[in-house]
Amino acid sequence: MPVTTLSPLRSGIAAVAGFALIAGAITVPGSAMAQTNGPASVADLAAPLLDAVVNISTSQSVKSEGKGPTPPRIPEGSPFQEFFKDYFDNQTPESGGKVSSLGSGFVIDPAGYVVTNNHVIEGADDIEVIFPNGNKLKAKLVGTDTKTDLSVLKVEPKTPLKAVKFGDSRAMRIGDWVMAIGNPFGLGGSLSVGVVSARGRNINAGPYDNFIQTDAAINKGNSGGPLFNMKGEVIGINTAIISPSGGSIGIGFSVPTELAQNIVQQLIEFGETRRGWLGVRVQPVTEDIAASLGMETARGALISGVVKGGPVENGPIQPGDVVLTFDGKNIQEMRDLPRVVAESPVGKEVDVVVLRDGKEQTLKVKLGQLQDTAEDQQPGATSDEATPDDGDGEGNEMTVPDDKDGDQTQQQAPEQREAPQTVLGMNLVALTDELRSEKGIAESVEGVFVASVEAGSPAEQKGVKAGDVIVEVGQDFMEVPGDVMVRVNGLKSAGRKNAHMMVADAQGNLRFVAVPLE
């Protein structure tokens, strides 16, 4: 059984294999012959657009001992990996030389600016833009953005070029007609029509996934080509397909212009992208968290940590806040926040509505600039990233318990509070200077040290492990093991089903877990 792969749409010249021609008599039923009108034609719509859609031809020098061109840098675990491995390993030259490939693009400015996909031109030594009339122009790379797989090229035409305009992808609804034009399998300009099948698709191709899904036939070689609405405006850039064989099965993905247009403008203006940066780590708001906060529906992004040195290191956003809107845009789910932040101008002061202690608050936040450096790959270094919920997605309790829990803490003798405790399967000890040095716990981490976790215990099932530090339980800071015991007992007495805990690793990266109370 063939394996379904998620495939970028660049096509090798050698990819066009053969054609099977089938001849035979066609019998047309009488009722069908009586029909004179088919579906409405898009010929008038397509005619002025065809000249603005181009073929992108690239070549790359390779060494004879290599397997061919170097594949683009694809994140570990990405569905692109399998396709790129299969495709590039098959491009093995018999001797040193050049490997060529084809993709698509479109002109957005008569002066010669062309948009395509990054994976179409990745690693290319030479880039050539081929127009429908056969004219060829050398292109230089203006800028590229790997996170959204977009690139801008520049050619120098003798006369102004036919160009197309960006439209508003936000206005597209499921079921709206769309038209794709591109260069499938190196055959030259081809057109197909379909509908918007879905919006906001996350295919794990990058941190800002928000793809339009369409059933318009797009194939390898369509990468970088435009997806038009019925006004002749570009509302997407065709990027990937799901296919067992590399051909269209009616599931294609396009980068929406609501994301792409700003990226393209920045690449033209600066030669790079300049994204806003909030400097937080986020995790999902589950149904149980929403219920505990009195929210009617689960929405927003839960702040699990604040990046040291980031724009909000010293406030106003705090771990435990739930971001509901950002600069007037609703945050429906966790992954919306990084994308909305990235689309916001650097240095802009924005209003952020958060839910804190059961009440909505509006905060003023000034954004920094996301830096694309090697350090970005470290968790929380510079990106507003998602933190795995470690399986804790049940019943997080965010409500502050009543005052009697605090009274129980006061009733404990100091030696009892500091003594080791076993709570919910966690063997807890005080975090001393000696233990901090021995275990490599960062100076910024404060709380109670988890010496070990019993197998099969509630804490172990929720991802708590030896070496973690319990920072808060029920939004109260934990200083010594006895604090955890008393807080958990207080939650049980209050009828709570889960203990909401803030947990830090040795480096200080925070996450929230909800441990069931036995």
Side-chain angles (χ1 to χ4, degrees):
M1 179 177 180
V3 177
T4 299
T5 59
L6 183 63
S7 304
L9 307 173
R10 182 165 81 170
S11 174
I13 286 179
V16 182
F19 300 88
L21 303 179
I22 301 176
I26 300 176
T27 301
V28 180
S31 60
M33 294 180 65
Q35 294 180 349
T36 58
N37 295 322
S41 173
V42 296
D44 290 339
L45 173 67
L49 306 176
L50 293 171
D51 288 342
V53 182
V54 299
N55 297 346
I56 307 295
S57 175
T58 67
S59 62
Q60 180 180 4
S61 299
V62 294
K63 298 179 180 179
S64 59
E65 65 269 18
K67 281 191 172 184
T70 303
R73 295 184 295 274
I74 302 299
E76 188 67 29
S78 167
F80 286 107
Q81 276 186 309
E82 181 177 350
F83 169 77
F84 273 119
K85 181 180 185 300
D86 292 342
Y87 173 73
F88 279 89
D89 283 359
N90 289 332
Q91 303 300 309
T92 307
E94 294 181 359
S95 60
K98 288 192 174 184
V99 171
S100 299
S101 62
L102 292 173
S104 302
F106 56 98
V107 180
I108 60 165
D109 189 309
Y113 286 103
V114 177
V115 174
T116 187
N117 280 144
N118 172 67
H119 74 259
V120 169
I121 52 85
E122 179 88 15
D125 297 318
D126 297 299
I127 306 172
E128 192 172 53
V129 174
I130 306 172
F131 293 85
N133 61 6
N135 289 343
K136 300 179 181 180
L137 292 175
K138 292 291 184 181
K140 68 176 182 179
L141 179 62
V142 174
T144 194
D145 180 54
T146 58
K147 289 183 172 67
T148 55
D149 196 22
L150 295 174
S151 293
V152 176
L153 309 175
K154 182 66 168 65
V155 297
E156 300 298 336
K158 295 181 180 179
T159 58
L161 301 174
K162 292 285 185 67
V164 291
K165 297 179 180 180
F166 283 121
D168 185 4
S169 61
R170 295 179 180 89
M172 300 302 295
R173 301 178 302 166
I174 295 174
D176 281 346
W177 287 100
V178 289
M179 178 175 65
I181 303 178
N183 179 40
F185 297 105
L187 294 172
S190 295
L191 179 149
S192 59
V193 176
V195 298
V196 173
S197 305
R199 290 173 48 92
R201 285 296 198 210
N202 179 10
I203 61 175
N204 297 313
Y208 310 119
D209 279 16
N210 187 30
F211 288 96
I212 294 172
Q213 181 183 325
T214 179
D215 65 350
I218 53 179
N219 293 278
K220 283 191 260 185
N222 275 103
S223 264
L227 188 69
F228 292 100
N229 61 17
M230 291 297 104
K231 297 178 182 179
E233 300 167 335
V234 178
I235 50 86
I237 294 92
N238 299 321
T239 296
I241 59 174
I242 288 180
S243 172
S245 61
S248 173
I249 61 169
I251 304 178
F253 301 100
S254 300
V255 179
T257 54
E258 62 194 86
L259 175 63
Q261 188 171 5
N262 185 46
I263 298 298
V264 169
Q265 290 173 347
Q266 289 188 25
L267 292 178
I268 292 174
E269 184 175 356
F270 307 116
E272 63 179 4
T273 52
R274 297 185 178 182
R275 291 188 168 93
W277 175 44
L278 191 58
V280 297
R281 287 183 290 272
V282 293
Q283 67 183 68
V285 176
T286 66
E287 292 288 347
D288 293 317
I289 290 177
S292 70
L293 293 172
M295 301 169 64
E296 294 183 0
T297 58
R299 63 189 181 96
L302 176 62
I303 303 298
S304 62
V306 175
V307 177
K308 185 176 181 180
V312 296
E313 178 185 10
N314 299 315
I317 292 178
Q318 302 174 6
D321 287 345
V322 177
V323 178
L324 302 177
T325 68
F326 186 91
D327 197 18
K329 301 179 179 69
N330 290 330
I331 306 299
Q332 292 297 328
E333 54 183 314
M334 176 192 71
R335 68 187 182 94
D336 291 340
L337 183 61
R339 185 178 68 251
V340 171
V341 172
E343 292 172 357
S344 301
V346 175
K348 182 180 181 181
E349 186 174 69
V350 300
D351 288 335
V352 182
V353 178
V354 304
L355 189 67
R356 180 185 299 172
D357 296 334
K359 298 179 181 179
E360 291 190 12
Q361 300 182 27
T362 300
L363 312 173
K364 290 285 187 181
V365 175
K366 188 174 182 179
L367 297 179
Q369 180 176 345
L370 179 62
Q371 300 292 331
D372 291 328
T373 66
E375 294 178 354
D376 293 354
Q377 306 308 316
Q378 301 301 321
T382 59
S383 61
D384 304 315
E385 65 178 9
T387 300
D389 63 9
D390 298 303
D392 69 18
E394 300 184 49
N396 289 7
E397 295 289 348
M398 301 282 292
T399 306
V400 179
D402 52 40
D403 294 337
K404 66 180 180 180
D405 299 331
D407 294 340
Q408 294 180 33
T409 302
Q410 298 299 325
Q411 294 170 4
Q412 275 197 327
E415 59 271 16
Q416 290 176 313
R417 293 180 61 234
E418 296 174 5
Q421 302 278 358
T422 299
V423 183
L424 301 176
M426 301 178 293
N427 297 313
L428 306 175
V429 299
L431 182 57
T432 62
D433 291 340
E434 293 78 9
L435 188 59
R436 184 187 298 275
S437 177
E438 177 187 346
K439 300 297 184 180
I441 308 296
E443 289 295 327
S444 60
V445 178
E446 298 289 347
V448 179
F449 186 76
V450 181
S452 62
V453 180
E454 298 172 3
S457 66
E460 192 266 345
Q461 293 174 6
K462 292 301 178 181
V464 180
K465 56 187 179 295
D468 283 340
V469 176
I470 307 301
V471 180
E472 292 182 2
V473 178
Q475 292 190 316
D476 279 358
F477 174 69
M478 298 292 103
E479 186 176 4
V480 291
D483 293 346
V484 181
M485 174 65 78
V486 170
R487 198 73 177 90
V488 168
N489 288 339
L491 291 171
K492 288 180 179 179
S493 299
R496 302 299 168 81
K497 297 180 180 179
N498 301 277
H500 175 72
M501 299 184 181
M502 180 190 289
V503 181
D505 62 15
Q507 290 74 42
N509 297 311
L510 301 175
R511 67 186 189 278
F512 288 94
V513 297
V515 181
L517 298 172
E518 296 179 328

